[in-house]
């Protein structure tokens, strides 16, 4: 019979224990009753016939047990016993248990956390239309020798918008806290001033009301504000009547113009609201010097334009601008960085701390990150189980000398790793929850703690862990009792 | 009983079961009567030992079963040889004959 068939048969036997037992009882009863009948035919009285039949048959319960042994139907009864034994040995050997659990918890926890982060950030595209076209402007920071988000000035922004040939649109935004006063508790809010073009670049729409249009970019336009879904629900209980109402922000009255959909969190995870950025108004302060003003740019490339072409184009404009504004502090060498990379880049230090440089490089290089996590998990449990087997060679020898079969030893080692993996998983998931919470605080737009990721990684890890412990378990079955006993 | 004896016995019992079932499909009780008859008590197989062997052979796909009615009118589990079982019986028979021929030769010459 083929392997899968046999496994299927055994699995079916597990679920059909009632049927298996019933059939077995019926078969053995048939045997005994036929035998009794035959004995009676040969002249025995019924009592005698029954006794003779049972005697000739041998132990009925023993036979049943041996029949069951040919299948895996014994698995459930043994499982509880195995688990109890597993816990007992772990309890007796606390030093080892502690070390092993620590390793496993760290390994599993980090794996799950990294997987859900990676799943949530690195692998998931940005929640915008054609996210590959989105770039932020960066410039080389002389002091830190590092590419940093470029801070530009409104005149430059205007010049780029008017003179560039490579972008569909460029948005200007800056962040600043605002104080909400008036009804209810005063609150400090994370506000973002953004030009209407910013929303155009990202191609987002309001879920209620509307986003800014060009009219709102002009000075003297009515003060309006757009709320984030989170802030709207938190502060106004998701009441749509707030649209068109005024709220007091930093002592000015703003009319609520729209509410953004859940998941729109630009430029930061915790941005509460957006107010129009009046470029011309800002220019009044910056026109003469075009000094740094803490403004960032996000742009959408035209289809078919490469990053290099776009950088050449803007740097050409920068050269003109530096002549037009000799006193500018704007940095000369502009680069473009994909918006995704910019966002993911913020995670880097945290991940570096967690993984070490090598781990992170591997992680980035390894397109199939799940494999990496699994290999780590497998290596962990393999090492731990190998150590355990080595420590217990003597005990295994004694057990074999006392009549334990290979399969008993195999089960003993495997149950050890099962218990260990189970406890490790429980602790690891707890650790992973904490870790992802810590990391999500640092990463914009991350929805980690994805239950599907947690469940699938846990299941996969459990399977791999047990599979990995199979190798040392097999080694344990090859222990020669004589050698093991003499070893002591 | 030593382990080697048990292994030998188990192997022998398996072949005997296969041989018995090769003649006709039969229930466990029938197999036990037949083996008792053939071996004439030499092997002293307890009837109960037969069933684990039957279950094992079924697990290995050598035999299969269906429920039918016995000659005494009861519901009984009838075992039947599969193709794999037949093949196994042939190879086991051949190797047994080789072995016994060799042993006979040695016993006669030595």
């Amino acid at each position: 019979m083929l392997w899968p068939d046999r496994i299927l048969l055994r699995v079916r036997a597990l679920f059909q224990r009632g049927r298996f037992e019933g059939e077995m009882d019926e078969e053995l009863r048939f045997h005994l009753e036929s035998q009794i009948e035959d004995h009676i035919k040969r002249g025995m009285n019924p009592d005698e016939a029954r006794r003779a039949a049972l005697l000739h048959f041998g132990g009925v319960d023993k036979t049943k047990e041996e029949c069951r042994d040919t299948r895996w139907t014994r698995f459930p009864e043994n499982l509880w016993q195995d688990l109890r034994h597993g816990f007992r040995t772990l309890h007796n050997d606390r030093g080892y248990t502690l070390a092993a659990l620590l390793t496993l918890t760290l390994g599993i926890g980090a794996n799950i956390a990294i997987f859900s982060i990676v799943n949530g950030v690195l692998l998931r595209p940005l929640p915008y239309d054609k996210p590959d076209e989105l770039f932020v402007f960066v410039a080389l920071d002389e002091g830190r020798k590092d590419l940093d988000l470029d801070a530009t000035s409104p005149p430059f922004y205007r010049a780029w918008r008017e003179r560039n040939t490579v972008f569909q649109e460029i948005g200007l935004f800056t962040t600043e806290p605002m104080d909400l006063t008036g009804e209810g508790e005063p609150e400090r809010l994370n506000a973002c001033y953004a030009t209407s073009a910013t929303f155009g670049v990202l191609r987002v729409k309001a879920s209620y009301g509307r986003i800014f249009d060009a009219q709102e970019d002009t000075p003297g336009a009515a003060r309006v504000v757009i709320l984030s879904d989170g802030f709207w629900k938190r502060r106004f209980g998701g009441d749509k009547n707030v649209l068109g109402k005024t709220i007091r922000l930093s002592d000015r009255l703003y009319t609520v113009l729209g509410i953004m959909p859940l998941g729109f969190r630009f430029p930061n995870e915790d941005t509460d609201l957006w107010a129009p950025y009046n470029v011309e108004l800002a220019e009044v302060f910056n026109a003469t010097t075009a000094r740094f003003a803490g403004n960032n740019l996000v742009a959408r490339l035209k289809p078919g334009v490469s990053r290099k072409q776009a950088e050449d184009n803007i740097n050409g404009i920068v050269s003109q601008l530096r002549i037009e504004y000799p006193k500018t502090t704007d940095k000369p060498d502009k680069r473009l960085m994909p918006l995704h990379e910019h966002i993911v880049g913020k995670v880097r230090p945290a991940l570096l701390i967690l993984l070490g440089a090598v781990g992170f490089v591997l992680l980035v290089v390894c397109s199939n990150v799940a494999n990496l996590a699994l290999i780590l998990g497998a290596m962990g449990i393999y090492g731990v189980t190998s150590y355990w087997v080595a420590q217990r060679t003597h005990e295994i020898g004694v057990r074999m000398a006392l009549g334990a079969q290979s399969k008993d030893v195999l089960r003993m080692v495997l149950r050890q790793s099962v218990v260990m993996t189970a406890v490790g998983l429980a602790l690891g998931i707890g650790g992973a929850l904490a870790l992802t919470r810590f990391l999500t605080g640092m990463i914009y737009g991350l929805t980690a703690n994805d239950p599907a990721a947690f469940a699938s990684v846990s299941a996969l890890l459990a399977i791999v862990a047990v599979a990995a412990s199979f190798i040392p378990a097999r080694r344990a079955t090859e222990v020669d009792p004589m050698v093991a006993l003499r070893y002591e | 009983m030593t382990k080697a004896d048990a292994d030998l016995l188990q192997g022998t019992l398996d072949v005997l079961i296969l041989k018995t079932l090769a003649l006709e499909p039969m229930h466990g009780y029938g197999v036990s009567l037949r083996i008792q008859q053939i071996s004439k008590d030499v092997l002293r197989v307890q009837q109960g030992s037969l069933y684990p062997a039957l279950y094992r052979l079924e697990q290995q796909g050598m035999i299969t079963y269906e429920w039918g009615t016995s000659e005494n009118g009861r519901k009984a589990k009838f075992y039947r040889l599969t193709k794999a079982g037949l093949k196994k019986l042939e190879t086991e028979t051949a190797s047994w004959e080789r072995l016994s021929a060799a042993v006979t030769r040695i016993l006669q010459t030595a």
Side-chain angles (χ1 to χ4, degrees):
Chain A
M1 202 190 297
L2 289 168
W3 248 95
D5 294 349
R6 270 161 87 165
I7 291 171
L8 206 68
L9 194 72
R10 297 198 155 185
V11 170
R12 216 164 48 213
L14 265 181
F15 292 103
Q16 298 181 342
R17 289 187 61 215
R19 196 180 139 196
F20 176 83
E21 290 285 323
E23 286 199 346
M24 184 169 67
D25 285 348
E26 190 158 1
E27 183 174 26
L28 299 185
R29 198 184 316 122
F30 165 77
H31 182 108
L32 286 169
E33 284 173 1
S34 300
Q35 179 84 73
I36 293 166
E37 238 167 67
D38 284 354
H39 283 327
I40 291 172
K41 272 186 207 154
R42 280 190 224 119
M44 285 191 195
N45 72 45
D47 279 354
E48 239 180 314
R50 171 165 290 273
R51 210 165 32 244
L54 284 173
L55 195 67
H56 195 181
F57 190 83
V60 176
D61 285 332
K62 184 170 156 278
T63 300
K64 281 190 190 173
E65 196 77 341
E66 284 174 25
C67 288
R68 284 185 205 113
D69 266 349
T70 65
R71 314 204 156 207
W72 282 359
T73 45
R74 297 182 53 88
F75 182 65
E77 293 117 82
N78 286 343
L79 186 64
W80 178 233
Q81 199 188 331
D82 285 350
L83 287 179
R84 274 207 336 242
H85 181 274
F87 275 116
R88 211 163 44 227
T89 21
L90 290 181
H91 185 72
N92 291 340
D93 201 347
R94 263 162 270 180
Y96 153 78
T97 305
L98 205 69
L101 278 185
L102 206 65
T103 320
L104 275 174
T105 305
L106 283 177
I108 292 169
N111 279 337
I112 293 181
I114 289 160
F115 183 83
S116 39
I117 298 285
V118 161
N119 193 31
V121 180
L122 299 185
L123 305 180
R124 191 196 60 178
L126 291 174
Y128 306 123
D129 182 41
K130 297 218 175 88
D132 297 348
E133 293 173 353
L134 296 173
F135 287 87
V136 289
F137 281 45
V138 289
L140 196 66
D141 188 311
E142 298 291 343
R144 293 195 318 181
K145 301 268 179 243
D146 194 11
L147 282 177
D148 201 11
L149 204 59
D150 185 39
T152 193
S153 52
F156 277 33
Y157 169 59
R158 269 167 66 95
W160 277 320
R161 274 191 86 186
E162 284 158 11
R163 300 181 203 176
N164 90 80
T165 54
V166 290
F167 296 113
Q168 300 184 39
E169 184 56 286
I170 308 174
L172 181 73
F173 63 93
T174 185
T175 54
E176 204 177 287
M178 278 180 152
D179 296 313
L180 175 71
T181 50
E183 269 179 68
E185 288 270 305
E187 200 179 339
R188 169 146 284 209
L189 300 172
N190 297 306
C192 168
Y193 293 89
T195 59
S196 62
T198 308
F199 293 86
V201 166
L202 299 173
R203 291 189 182 153
V204 286
K205 287 195 175 73
S207 52
Y208 303 105
R210 63 172 178 86
I211 54 167
F212 308 135
D213 57 28
Q215 196 264 323
E216 263 100 25
D217 291 338
T218 55
R223 285 204 181 85
V224 289
V225 69
I226 299 173
L227 311 181
S228 79
D229 186 82
F231 171 62
W232 173 54
K233 283 179 180 151
R234 169 162 55 88
R235 183 79 193 196
F236 301 102
D239 181 7
K240 280 176 220 160
N241 289 326
V242 76
L243 285 173
K245 296 247 171 77
T246 52
I247 56 175
R248 185 173 286 275
L249 294 166
S250 297
D251 281 333
R252 294 195 187 89
L253 286 173
Y254 285 79
T255 306
V256 177
L257 186 68
I259 294 146
M260 293 310 287
L262 180 74
F264 179 73
R265 287 170 283 196
F266 183 89
N268 296 309
E269 170 92 346
D270 53 2
T271 302
D272 296 309
L273 44 80
W274 296 268
Y277 192 115
N278 297 331
V279 175
E280 285 83 356
L281 193 67
E283 262 187 274
V284 175
F285 304 106
N286 289 285
T288 47
T289 56
R291 279 186 191 282
F292 160 84
N295 306 305
N296 306 132
L297 296 167
V298 59
R300 185 180 284 277
L301 277 185
K302 283 180 178 164
V305 175
S306 75
R307 196 204 297 199
K308 181 79 179 58
Q309 287 171 327
E311 282 173 347
D312 290 347
N313 186 260
I314 46 176
N315 282 323
I317 303 168
V318 169
S319 312
Q320 301 168 8
L321 289 170
R322 291 180 74 79
I323 297 163
E324 293 166 35
Y325 298 88
K327 286 183 190 162
T328 184
T329 55
D330 220 291
K331 297 191 183 73
D333 186 16
K334 305 286 182 201
R335 308 269 176 83
L336 291 173
M337 182 186 270
L339 182 60
H340 192 224
E341 193 180 319
H342 166 64
I343 289 160
V344 170
K346 289 185 189 169
V347 199
R348 207 171 287 235
L351 285 179
L352 272 172
I353 295 162
L354 286 170
L355 287 178
V358 179
F360 186 73
V361 170
L362 260 175
L363 194 72
V364 171
V365 171
C366 187
S367 62
N368 193 347
V369 183
N371 279 344
L372 182 71
L374 283 177
I375 290 165
L376 288 176
M379 266 164 27
I381 191 91
Y382 174 84
V384 161
T385 313
S386 297
Y387 173 77
W388 190 83
V389 167
Q391 289 288 300
R392 303 233 157 205
T393 307
H394 182 70
E395 183 193 325
I396 292 166
V398 171
R399 282 172 184 274
M400 290 180 100
L402 290 175
Q405 304 280 306
S406 295
K407 64 171 188 207
D408 299 327
V409 175
L410 198 69
R411 218 169 59 205
M412 182 176 89
V413 179
L414 286 182
R415 76 183 156 206
Q416 203 66 33
S417 0
V418 167
V419 170
M420 196 70 89
T421 310
V423 178
L425 265 180
L427 294 175
I429 287 170
L433 280 170
L435 213 58
T436 41
R437 177 159 301 190
F438 165 72
L439 284 172
T440 43
M442 310 181 63
I443 307 161
Y444 139 82
L446 178 71
T447 42
N449 293 356
D450 170 15
F454 266 65
S456 55
V457 174
S458 304
L460 217 59
L461 275 171
I463 292 167
V464 166
V466 173
S469 64
F470 200 76
I471 302 165
R474 279 291 294 275
R475 203 182 303 140
T477 66
E478 283 154 18
V479 168
D480 182 347
M482 295 304 288
V483 177
L485 292 176
R486 224 177 285 140
Y487 180 70
E488 191 76 346
Chain B
M1 197 191 294
T2 66
K3 194 166 183 295
D5 278 352
D7 282 350
L8 182 66
L9 184 59
Q10 188 186 313
T12 319
L13 186 58
D14 285 0
V15 177
L16 288 178
I17 291 171
L18 292 177
K19 180 70 188 167
T20 310
L21 291 177
L23 305 174
E24 56 177 327
M26 208 178 281
H27 47 67
Y29 182 58
V31 175
S32 89
L33 290 182
R34 186 65 60 89
I35 289 176
Q36 213 177 339
Q37 211 177 9
I38 299 169
S39 67
K40 302 208 169 63
D41 283 342
V42 173
L43 288 173
R44 279 207 243 194
V45 182
Q46 273 195 321
Q47 289 182 346
S49 319
L50 178 71
Y51 286 93
L54 281 170
Y55 278 65
R56 196 168 38 247
L57 285 171
E58 190 221 326
Q59 196 83 48
Q60 292 165 358
M62 298 299 154
I63 59 177
T64 172
Y65 72 85
E66 54 198 1
W67 287 89
T69 314
S70 75
E71 52 283 11
N72 57 12
R74 289 175 195 274
K75 201 175 151 209
K77 203 172 163 190
F78 281 83
Y79 290 94
R80 174 168 60 76
L81 218 57
T82 61
K83 264 188 193 159
L86 191 65
K87 210 168 176 182
K88 166 116 170 151
L89 177 62
E90 281 164 6
T91 56
E92 290 289 316
T93 311
S95 69
W96 176 257
E97 278 165 2
R98 260 203 317 279
L99 180 69
S100 79
V103 172
T104 311
R105 221 168 24 245
I106 292 163
L107 290 177
Q108 281 169 354
T109 52

